[in-house]
Amino acid sequence: MADLSGMRQPYHRTDSTFDVIDLASKDPMKQFEAWFEDTCKDKLVQEPNAMALATASRSGIPSVRMVLCKGFSTEGFTFYTNYESRKGRELDANPNCSLMFYWEPLKRSIQVQGVAERVSEEKSRSYFASRPLESQIGALVSHQGTVLQSRQVLDTKLKELKELYSGEDVSIPKPDYWGGYLVRPNEMEFWQGQTNRLHDRLKFRKLKDGETFNDELMVKAEGDWIIERLSS
Ligand SMILES: Cc1cc2nc3c(=O)[nH]c(=O)nc-3n(C[C@H](O)[C@H](O)[C@H](O)COP(=O)(O)O)c2cc1C
């Protein structure tokens, strides 16, 4: 076994400092946008739109994996996948889920708690059509999550489909089992690492039924959002 207790990176960078959070907006999606834009400018982050997606079965068994966020708006975050995969089946049975963006060079993370719903077939079709041919074929080759006898099964299917769709103006129809989800957030926590390890955490959430606004611990934000500061 490896003892990793001494593995510790200093939280500082020569070209920037990690100030406490100065909110760009009291709307959590606009705040997300501001941090996302900062991240896109940072050459050290190669996939700013990569996020962990945690789901749970109806009986509460959790699972997590990475996906790519393909859009965000006032409504929430969109990603695409195979509806028959483990995540797809879990989201259809239990739409409560969580997303996590972690932008290590900026020492920032954003945790989202929300509820997922399928996007319209039309939106999924239009996004599928915009994908490179290789990615479209990939969605046909692989029935995500099914158990395979060997790697060769995938390679053979890929070869067959590449031959089938080798013409100039080929158009591959989107398979029914493939499409997008929109995650509508009901909580969003912005985390900024600090050199002194007293990290900064601000959480946007909505008041629960029957809960009253506490002006000592809460700040009113846009719409029905409130902000709380959490200890690190
Ligand atoms: C950086 C990264 C991005 C990924 N993006 C996606 C994606 O957008 N959609 C997807 O279905 N799988 C994506 N994957 C693969 C998933 O992590 C996962 O292996 C796959 O979706 C099967 O997950 P499941 O069996 O838990 O449903 C990505 C993997 C990585 C490492």
Side-chain angles (χ1 to χ4, degrees):
M1 289 288 278
D3 174 9
L4 308 180
S5 57
M7 213 174 183
R8 194 169 290 116
Q9 285 296 323
Y11 271 22
H12 61 73
R13 239 169 102 170
T14 46
D15 58 346
S16 74
T17 54
F18 301 116
D19 297 327
V20 292
I21 301 171
D22 178 14
L23 285 176
S25 171
K26 283 189 177 167
D27 175 321
M29 290 308 295
K30 288 202 183 122
Q31 178 61 32
F32 176 87
E33 186 176 17
W35 274 21
F36 188 76
E37 281 173 5
D38 290 346
T39 310
C40 290
K41 285 184 214 137
D42 195 315
K43 298 279 172 286
L44 292 175
V45 184
Q46 292 199 340
E47 283 192 305
N49 59 332
M51 58 188 188
L53 161 73
T55 55
S57 66
R58 210 191 292 271
S59 55
I61 307 288
S63 65
V64 65
R65 78 289 292 151
M66 299 301 294
V67 290
L68 291 179
C69 177
K70 288 293 173 176
F72 63 88
S73 69
T74 47
E75 292 190 302
F77 303 87
T78 301
F79 66 91
Y80 291 86
T81 193
N82 184 313
Y83 287 140
E84 293 171 2
S85 63
R86 177 171 181 175
K87 73 180 98 44
R89 283 181 281 115
E90 290 185 355
L91 286 174
D92 292 345
N94 170 11
N96 294 301
C97 61
S98 193
L99 304 172
M100 167 61 73
F101 293 85
Y102 177 46
W103 299 314
E104 194 269 342
L106 292 99
K107 302 291 179 238
R108 282 179 175 172
S109 75
I110 300 175
Q111 189 193 56
V112 177
Q113 183 188 295
V115 178
E117 62 190 60
R118 290 187 182 197
V119 305
S120 68
E121 268 295 291
E122 193 190 339
K123 187 167 176 177
S124 291
R125 262 201 301 273
S126 134
Y127 172 64
F128 187 81
S130 76
R131 300 179 87 206
L133 192 68
E134 287 253 308
S135 311
Q136 294 182 349
I137 292 180
L140 296 186
V141 170
S142 170
H143 289 273
Q144 209 173 53
T146 50
V147 178
L148 296 168
Q149 209 170 29
S150 69
R151 170 82 209 182
Q152 209 188 352
V153 177
L154 285 182
D155 292 338
T156 308
K157 187 118 187 263
L158 179 64
K159 196 162 166 274
E160 282 167 13
L161 285 166
K162 274 189 167 167
E163 278 164 20
L164 185 66
Y165 293 110
S166 62
E168 284 255 307
D169 282 327
V170 286
S171 115
I172 303 183
K174 178 189 82 60
D176 289 343
Y177 55 76
W178 193 95
Y181 285 97
L182 166 71
V183 178
R184 291 183 188 274
N186 49 41
E187 284 188 13
M188 283 176 67
E189 181 197 321
F190 294 82
W191 184 96
Q192 173 69 70
Q194 299 293 299
T195 307
N196 67 5
R197 304 271 158 170
L198 276 180
H199 306 308
D200 218 30
R201 299 175 65 189
L202 292 180
K203 178 160 151 179
F204 287 75
R205 70 173 178 94
K206 295 176 180 182
L207 289 179
K208 300 186 191 93
D209 282 347
E211 188 182 12
T212 49
F213 182 78
N214 177 337
D215 58 8
E216 282 180 13
L217 294 177
M218 299 171 184
V219 172
K220 278 211 191 297
E222 287 291 313
D224 50 358
W225 291 100
I226 58 135
I227 305 171
E228 290 167 321
R229 173 172 292 283
L230 306 183
S231 52
S232 57

